[in-house]
Amino acid sequence: MRDQKNILQNIDWVLVALFSVMVLIGWVNIYAAVYNEEHSSIFDLSQSYGKQALWIIGACILALMILVIDGKFYAAFSYAIYVVFILLLISTFAFSRDVKGSFGWIDIGAFKLQPAEFAKFATNMALAKYLSTLDIRMQDSRTKLISTLILGLPAVIILLQNDTGSALVFASFIFVLYREGLSGNILLLALVSVALFILALLVKNSTLIGILIGLALVFILMVRKNKRNIIVIVSGAIIAIGMVYSVDYVYNDVLQAHQRTRIDVLLGKELDLKGAGYNVNQSKIAIGSGGLFGKGFLQGTQTKYDFVPEQSTDFIFCTVGEEWGFMGSLVVIGLFMALLGRIIFVAERQRSQYSRIYGYGVASIIFFHLMINIGMTIGLAPVIGIPLPFFSYGGSSLWSFTILLFIFIKLDSYRLQILR
Amino acid sequence: MNVSSGRNSVIFIIFISVGIIYLIRLFYLQVVDQSYTASATNNVMRLITDYPSRGLIYDRKGELLVYNEPVYDLMITPRQAKNLDTLELCRLIGISIEEYVEKFNKAKSYSAYKASLFEKQLSVETYAALQEKLYKFPGFYVEARTLRKYPLPIAAHLFGYIGEVDTSITRQDSYYKDGDYIGKSGIEKSYEKELRGRRGVRRVMVDVFNREKGSFQNGKYDTASVAGENLKLSIDGELQFYGEQLMRNKVGSVVAIEPSTGEILCMVSSPAYDPNLLVGRTRTKNYLSLLRDPYKPLFNRSQMATYPPGSTFKLVMALIAQQEQTLFPSTRYPCYGGYPPGGGRPKCHPHSSPLDLKASIAQSCNSYYSYVFRSVIDNNKYKSTADAFAFWRKSIEKFGIGIRLPSDLPNVLKGSVPSIEYYDKYFGKGQWRSSTIISLGIGQGELGITPLQNANIIAGIANRGYYYTPHVVKAIGDEMYLPEEFRIRNSFGIDRKYFDIVVDGMESVVESGTAASTRIKGIIVCGKTGTAQNPHGKDHSMYVAFAPKYNPKIAIAVSVENSGFGSQWAAPIASLLIEQYLTDTITRPEMDKRMREGVILPEIALPKVPVEKEKKITQKSPAIPVKAITRVN
């Protein structure tokens, strides 16, 4: 066992470098997105980009603080931190202001804090803590139940605050559970369910059921010698058909009107370009007009002020696409892929289960944000307002992702001191 | 426990697949699909709003009353407005260079990238001259819009006007954006949804020289505008015009209703003004001078002024008391110049005494109706005065008094009927009796009703007991649709049999009573004069009537402020309008001339006279002091 003399020793510099590059590119793009000729300094505090500079400095301080704190702290205090943030989430009902229809903000002086952002890493810690307990087996239904509770509690509270996007992020933990032994069938089932849901809305019920029965028959023919498999296939088909029917119910009676419209727009069922389809269409035009190499820094015409809404927060990727073209998109997505790959690589080298599970949580959350955020700007995912990690304007989002990632970096730098 | 080393690969493969799918999609959007890339050569897509034409408005005979005239708004996108000859532009649209700078800065402070209004409502000529040279002015383009035009200078209050939408509305209703027009009053407001149609939007590509390069993706994302629905009003344009002619130089109102449908035939509020004044570039100027006019021409008296109903209320009392069995056709009450007899209040004018019910209407005896009111309020049936009063209040509400008639006009007032609480507070609980509030019985005191309510009561009496909510729209759109609520009968709660004696009484008012001078040959008119007491000046002249007696076609209420007895001004005006409507002729030219030329108040806003001149005249005029006229309760 080695002594840790310097907190910067053993740090995974690849992750730190990826983080720094992404934050800086994000900042430059926020500058371009809301560029104002009269306030052309990137440090002008009256503008979003000036404020973002402050958030970045704050994020660096936070990162340092996280690295200084003893590595044992995080695992030890996981549950406590989880409880604190759950309470903070609940308290938003009392202190929040209505921001764009959701209630998840707390005002602290001039700052607006969004506890939902911070609930992500707290939940990740609690889940990692629970699953790393000795004698836990993912196959036990008790384990599944408690894991679901840990994830479900913050998700439900956030859902009640009308912030569907942030609540859905908790679904991404299915990757963590899968990594820790959840049956691959469940992951497959989840993916198939999403596919069925979308198909059921796009294709007529009778057609879809016909296809399902056809598929079932083909499978039965293939495995006709094994009675057990036939039963599995038949019951699977029945469940699938039931789901197809229940989709109509969920779609019409459970979802709220604006959620329905967003799904409709995504699926191309409703082309309302002044209303819900407007954002997606505008963002596609902006990104599409970028071409191979883009229009150049500050030369974007579509993302500035008028056409694309929320251009510095949820639709920041439009600016990348418009001003830097396909090459810019390639770089940004490439950076994210590199980050996700590196996190998984680093997670796999952990001796402690806690650190590994936490690492997978980090990757899952970042992946989910990436998938939804970029997906919605190019019309491949519904418009649910969640930020692009490290890129979007906003203190809560930047800080929460910084904390999320740097706790993992700290855990990793500490790995050699842990005895298995 | 490390489950399986293969699982990390599965997860990473899922991550990478999504990344690759996104990159393929991006490659398609950005590199393959040329319709988006076209913009990369610094072309700009411009959204052009396609404003629908607002619905036209016709009168009941199909005469066009309101139509649209095209005008052109000059729009600016400040960031693109560079390197242009500003002087030439100023010259073309007729503004000074200072104004240009001011407008430019205003637009820029709103948004440098978003188009905003630069100069509104250019005329066709200016637009023609500008259009040729528009290519010289990058950042500028023209949007076509329409303005309201009125072939006849009538019914300004009824039509209302349209104006720029308030931010309070744009915040709530996403249909509107800043700079849009919306109905602000009258039927333009109440039928805004039907009239406005649906906006369309076109996406066109323009090059750096501000020239349109064709539609974006062949108009795939364009939406066509849908024209607003036309309205057919129940208003008779000719009658409205004549009504406004007769009411010239007087302050007051005329409301006429077709009893069998509740359709409003004319609705005059005087002084009136030409609706064309509140349109176009001179609108603000004209609006301000109308606002400053001491006779308040903008005030819609026909539905917003409340007067004590005066003697016309005696008809209501006669009906309620009969229904309550406290009054019979043969009931006689004495009158010796007042109630109680011998100089009491209310006073009464000299006539023969005692009178029966029919004669009491013809003679409009105040004492008689004080007794009638007492018989209702002091009825032993009720435990207390307050109970009886509550019953009375409920009964008159059925006549539409003290409630807001759910008409299709905005800002319809409910008038005023005092409440039990009011009297309890004023006199003390249980301290008031019929004698303390006796003036209500003759339609004075705290009672206040609008001319629209007044006309509605007469329409209901003409129908012998029910009314349809008065409305001005006969049919909406091509399907000639009429809202269901205007087909519902509202009952007065009075049996049919009690009406005959009241109607007979009204007939004798015109045949031999207070309005005998307004008889029309060949038409039996049933009327009732009224004089609304006015503590601030000369009394208001009121008159209600319907005709013909059987199968009535028109019910009318006329009020002329500060003009004295009902028979003097209100009755002749109503009589002329009835004749005009029923026979389309005027057989009494001297009466017509006397009414048209009669000036109750000095020179009031004449339609067609330019506003500046009009103001001068009103200032010069002596006669009745302004204070007395402006008060309309």
Side-chain angles (χ1 to χ4, degrees):
Chain A
M1 194 164 109
R2 277 181 264 171
D3 282 335
Q4 195 176 20
K5 284 176 185 145
N6 185 341
I7 55 157
L8 297 181
Q9 210 178 320
N10 296 326
I11 277 185
D12 189 73
W13 288 106
V14 179
L15 283 178
V16 175
L18 284 168
F19 165 81
S20 312
V21 169
M22 288 167 102
V23 168
L24 286 176
I25 295 180
W27 184 33
V28 168
N29 276 295
I30 291 167
Y31 179 67
V34 293
Y35 176 64
N36 184 333
E37 281 162 4
E38 273 143 39
H39 302 272
S40 56
S41 162
I42 197 166
F43 296 103
D44 192 316
L45 292 183
S46 69
Q47 303 295 316
S48 295
Y49 34 84
K51 289 181 195 146
Q52 184 74 357
L54 283 186
W55 299 129
I56 292 172
I57 294 167
C60 294
I61 296 169
L62 272 176
L64 269 176
M65 279 164 57
I66 288 163
L67 294 178
V68 170
I69 293 171
D70 190 280
K72 277 179 282 198
F73 168 83
Y74 302 103
F77 284 89
S78 287
Y79 288 144
I81 291 172
Y82 178 75
V83 169
V84 165
F85 276 95
I86 290 290
L87 291 176
L88 200 59
L89 267 183
I90 294 170
S91 74
T92 54
F93 286 109
F95 304 111
S96 71
R97 288 189 322 138
D98 186 348
V99 176
K100 283 177 281 173
S102 70
F103 294 89
W105 299 81
I106 294 182
D107 283 338
I108 302 169
F111 297 99
K112 277 181 300 187
L113 188 75
Q114 200 181 10
E117 288 292 337
F118 297 95
K120 287 170 204 162
F121 77 80
T123 308
N124 193 19
M125 290 168 90
L127 185 71
K129 177 75 179 175
Y130 172 69
L131 291 180
S132 59
T133 320
L134 286 173
D135 301 331
I136 281 284
R137 275 166 46 86
M138 203 58 230
Q139 287 79 357
D140 295 346
S141 27
R142 188 184 141 81
T143 313
K144 284 178 192 145
L145 181 72
I146 293 180
S147 306
T148 312
L149 282 177
I150 292 175
L151 299 174
L153 184 61
V156 166
I157 299 173
I158 294 169
L159 204 58
L160 290 176
Q161 291 166 350
N162 239 344
D163 187 357
T164 321
S166 300
L168 282 177
V169 172
F170 291 89
S172 65
F173 281 102
I174 193 160
F175 291 116
V176 180
L177 299 181
Y178 169 72
R179 172 62 187 81
E180 293 310 309
L182 186 72
S183 163
N185 291 337
I186 296 182
L187 182 65
L188 190 67
L189 193 71
L191 296 178
V192 168
S193 303
V194 172
L196 264 184
F197 184 87
I198 292 172
L199 280 174
L201 290 173
L202 275 182
V203 187
K204 267 210 263 163
N205 275 0
S206 46
T207 320
L208 189 57
I209 287 162
I211 294 171
L212 284 174
I213 292 173
L215 278 176
L217 287 176
V218 170
F219 285 134
I220 289 169
L221 277 177
M222 283 163 62
V223 297
R224 60 183 176 274
K225 280 172 189 158
N226 187 335
K227 268 189 185 169
R228 199 172 151 268
N229 281 355
I230 292 178
I231 294 170
V232 169
I233 290 168
V234 168
S235 46
I238 290 170
I239 291 170
I241 290 168
M243 236 197 85
V244 169
Y245 277 112
S246 65
V247 163
D248 277 343
Y249 169 75
V250 171
Y251 177 76
N252 289 318
D253 300 314
V254 178
L255 291 183
Q256 292 172 12
H258 69 273
Q259 293 166 335
R260 263 203 301 279
T261 333
R262 284 171 180 180
I263 292 175
D264 282 348
V265 168
L266 173 72
L267 299 177
K269 280 171 80 176
E270 187 180 304
L271 209 61
D272 169 20
L273 291 162
K274 281 301 279 179
Y278 181 82
N279 295 2
V280 174
N281 186 54
Q282 288 305 332
S283 101
K284 271 157 70 179
I285 290 170
I287 293 173
S289 70
L292 187 56
F293 296 105
K295 299 175 186 171
F297 185 52
L298 298 184
Q299 296 307 307
T301 50
Q302 303 295 320
T303 49
K304 298 223 187 322
Y305 283 99
D306 44 1
F307 297 117
V308 179
E310 315 267 331
Q311 69 278 47
S312 66
T313 53
D314 295 348
F315 282 89
I316 187 68
F317 190 72
C318 294
T319 306
V320 177
E322 190 185 10
E323 298 197 342
W324 304 106
F326 179 69
M327 298 317 288
S329 313
L330 189 66
V331 168
V332 170
I333 292 184
L335 279 171
F336 271 107
M337 289 301 135
L339 181 72
L340 292 174
R342 183 71 192 174
I343 292 172
I344 291 176
F345 172 79
V346 172
E348 286 295 336
R349 76 182 179 197
Q350 300 303 312
R351 290 178 186 175
S352 122
Q353 269 197 69
Y354 177 85
S355 305
R356 183 183 71 232
I357 298 167
Y358 183 86
Y360 269 92
V362 175
S364 305
I365 293 169
I366 293 177
F367 168 73
F368 190 85
H369 274 261
L370 170 80
M371 179 175 77
I372 295 294
N373 183 284
I374 296 187
M376 76 183 178
T377 62
I378 56 179
L380 290 179
V383 180
I384 44 182
I386 57 175
L388 186 60
F390 312 118
F391 278 78
S392 289
Y393 167 74
S396 288
S397 150
L398 178 62
W399 286 9
S400 75
F401 279 111
T402 305
I403 295 169
L404 187 72
L405 182 65
F406 273 83
I407 289 177
F408 180 57
I409 293 175
K410 175 68 193 182
L411 291 173
D412 172 59
S413 72
Y414 186 68
R415 70 185 183 277
L416 298 174
Q417 289 161 281
I418 294 171
L419 289 171
R420 287 183 88 169
Chain B
M1 172 184 83
N2 202 339
V3 180
S4 125
S5 50
R7 294 199 166 204
N8 56 350
S9 319
V10 172
I11 292 172
F12 190 62
I13 286 167
I14 293 176
F15 289 1
I16 286 287
S17 321
V18 169
I20 290 172
I21 291 169
Y22 280 16
L23 281 174
I24 292 170
R25 169 75 169 175
L26 281 162
F27 187 76
Y28 174 78
L29 275 181
Q30 298 187 291
V31 183
V32 179
D33 191 340
Q34 287 303 313
S35 63
Y36 295 113
T37 324
S39 325
T41 54
N42 215 8
N43 282 0
V44 176
M45 189 182 74
R46 184 193 294 154
L47 289 169
I48 295 186
T49 312
D50 196 359
Y51 287 97
S53 69
R54 209 169 161 85
L56 306 180
I57 301 178
Y58 298 92
D59 85 342
R60 64 188 291 120
K61 292 174 183 158
E63 206 66 44
L64 184 63
L65 295 180
V66 186
Y67 66 99
N68 302 307
E69 193 183 68
V71 286
Y72 301 90
D73 283 353
L74 184 61
M75 310 293 287
I76 181 175
T77 312
R79 188 174 182 260
Q80 296 163 24
K82 281 175 188 156
N83 310 321
L84 55 102
D85 186 348
T86 44
L87 268 177
E88 189 180 5
L89 183 65
C90 289
R91 198 178 47 75
L92 276 170
I93 60 174
I95 60 169
S96 70
I97 192 81
E98 289 80 22
E99 280 176 291
Y100 177 92
V101 172
E102 188 187 323
K103 282 167 191 282
F104 184 85
N105 288 338
K106 193 181 158 209
K108 199 174 173 191
S109 71
Y110 168 62
S111 166
Y113 299 89
K114 216 172 192 167
S116 58
L117 185 64
F118 188 75
E119 179 73 358
K120 65 181 172 188
Q121 297 164 3
L122 302 177
S123 68
V124 182
E125 296 75 32
T126 313
Y127 169 64
L130 180 65
Q131 182 61 32
E132 280 172 24
K133 299 190 173 156
L134 204 57
Y135 72 93
K136 288 187 185 171
F137 310 116
F140 286 90
Y141 69 98
V142 169
E143 259 185 12
R145 315 189 79 141
T146 54
L147 283 185
R148 287 306 225 189
K149 275 280 168 185
Y150 310 87
L152 286 173
I154 56 165
H157 299 101
L158 185 72
F159 297 145
Y161 57 92
I162 49 181
E164 267 182 48
V165 66
D166 294 333
T167 40
S168 59
I169 292 171
T170 52
R171 255 186 242 130
Q172 282 170 13
D173 189 340
S174 63
Y175 179 85
Y176 298 99
K177 57 180 179 20
D178 285 335
D180 276 354
Y181 288 88
I182 188 171
K184 291 264 188 180
S185 68
I187 49 177
E188 296 279 15
K189 183 179 181 185
S190 51
Y191 286 95
E192 165 70 14
K193 279 225 167 75
E194 287 80 5
L195 287 169
R196 75 183 182 193
R198 213 176 59 229
R199 253 196 329 249
V201 66
R202 285 188 300 131
R203 281 141 212 276
V204 292
M205 306 303 299
V206 288
D207 66 9
V208 283
F209 300 110
N210 201 29
R211 287 178 299 219
E212 287 192 15
K213 283 293 184 191
S215 60
F216 173 70
Q217 291 205 340
N218 292 324
K220 196 167 120 195
Y221 298 113
D222 294 357
T223 49
S225 64
V226 179
E229 294 194 278
N230 297 341
L231 293 184
K232 185 174 190 172
L233 298 189
S234 61
I235 295 294
D236 183 320
E238 236 176 303
L239 191 69
Q240 177 78 25
F241 184 74
Y242 187 46
E244 291 190 12
Q245 291 290 306
L246 293 175
M247 289 298 288
R248 259 165 60 164
N249 299 330
K250 301 162 196 75
V251 172
S253 65
V254 177
V255 178
I257 296 176
E258 182 177 73
S260 58
T261 55
E263 291 172 0
I264 296 174
L265 300 170
C266 81
M267 204 170 189
V268 178
S269 173
S270 188
Y273 58 92
D274 183 347
N276 289 307
L277 288 176
L278 290 191
V279 164
R281 285 158 66 105
T282 51
R283 200 200 118 164
T284 317
K285 205 176 78 190
N286 292 339
Y287 185 83
L288 284 175
S289 58
L290 285 173
L291 201 63
R292 285 195 210 106
D293 188 313
Y295 302 121
K296 301 204 167 175
L298 290 172
F299 183 61
N300 187 356
R301 292 173 167 82
S302 54
Q303 61 187 60
M304 294 178 78
T306 57
Y307 310 95
S311 305
T312 55
F313 189 69
K314 291 169 185 164
L315 303 171
V316 177
M317 280 314 300
L319 290 167
I320 293 173
Q322 285 191 83
Q323 181 75 23
E324 272 286 271
Q325 301 284 313
T326 64
L327 176 69
F328 303 92
S330 57
T331 309
R332 283 163 177 271
Y333 288 115
C335 170
Y336 303 103
Y339 170 91
R345 276 189 167 294
K347 282 194 187 319
C348 197
H349 55 94
H351 55 76
S352 61
S353 172
L355 298 171
D356 65 4
L357 176 53
K358 188 179 159 188
S360 75
I361 294 173
Q363 293 299 334
S364 195
C365 174
N366 285 342
S367 310
Y368 193 93
Y369 285 94
S370 302
Y371 283 109
V372 171
F373 185 69
R374 191 187 70 178
S375 74
V376 172
I377 298 296
D378 293 353
N379 193 346
N380 291 336
K381 217 166 98 179
Y382 301 104
K383 269 186 282 173
S384 66
T385 309
D387 283 359
F389 183 80
F391 161 77
W392 172 81
R393 210 167 179 275
K394 221 158 138 194
S395 303
I396 66 168
E397 265 180 18
K398 288 191 183 150
F399 285 77
I401 302 172
I403 58 165
R404 205 188 72 82
L405 290 168
S407 173
D408 52 358
L409 294 159
N411 305 324
V412 172
L413 297 191
K414 63 180 198 172
S416 54
V417 177
S419 62
I420 295 173
E421 293 74 36
Y422 172 82
Y423 285 127
D424 278 349
K425 213 175 148 192
Y426 196 85
F427 297 111
K429 211 175 165 76
Q431 298 297 301
W432 48 282
R433 278 160 292 116
S434 67
S435 54
T436 24
I437 56 172
I438 200 73
S439 55
L440 292 180
I442 57 164
Q444 306 289 359
E446 294 90 346
L447 269 185
I449 73 171
T450 66
L452 179 66
Q453 285 171 323
N454 215 359
N456 183 50
I457 294 167
I458 296 314
I461 293 177
N463 284 336
R464 282 40 170 198
Y466 62 88
Y467 68 93
Y468 297 94
T469 301
H471 52 278
V472 288
V473 165
K474 201 171 162 62
I476 302 168
D478 297 334
E479 293 108 62
M480 305 301 261
Y481 156 85
L482 177 70
E484 208 43 56
E485 67 253 37
F486 298 134
R487 295 183 201 275
I488 299 168
R489 265 188 196 198
N490 303 288
S491 172
F492 277 174
I494 306 287
D495 294 346
R496 168 74 179 78
K497 61 185 176 200
Y498 297 126
F499 281 89
D500 290 337
I501 184 87
V502 171
V503 169
D504 287 346
M506 289 175 74
E507 183 187 352
S508 57
V509 165
V510 184
E511 287 304 307
S512 56
T514 47
S517 62
T518 65
R519 273 209 316 267
I520 308 169
K521 249 190 207 128
I523 303 170
I524 308 177
V525 178
C526 302
K528 181 83 195 78
T529 56
T531 306
Q533 277 175 7
N534 176 13
H536 308 279
K538 210 171 166 191
D539 289 346
H540 304 316
S541 169
M542 318 271 273
Y543 186 67
V544 292
F546 69 86
K549 183 180 178 188
Y550 300 106
N551 196 12
K553 292 271 181 276
I554 180 169
I556 192 164
V558 178
S559 46
V560 184
E561 290 181 22
N562 311 99
S563 69
F565 293 116
S567 52
Q568 245 173 325
W569 292 101
I573 288 173
S575 172
L576 288 167
L577 284 166
I578 289 171
E579 189 179 27
Q580 160 73 27
Y581 182 69
L582 294 179
T583 66
D584 217 5
T585 45
I586 295 299
T587 56
R588 295 162 294 176
E590 67 307 322
M591 184 191 270
D592 169 64
K593 186 163 180 280
R594 187 157 53 86
M595 289 301 124
R596 271 175 196 273
E597 293 177 359
V599 177
I600 302 297
L601 296 169
E603 303 289 336
I604 302 162
L606 305 172
K608 298 242 163 146
V609 174
V611 179
E612 283 82 357
K613 237 189 223 169
E614 197 183 286
K615 251 175 83 186
K616 233 189 260 163
I617 299 166
T618 49
Q619 278 159 2
K620 266 188 198 166
S621 48
I624 299 168
V626 170
K627 217 170 77 191
I629 321 139
T630 48
R631 161 230 36 81
V632 195
N633 290 339

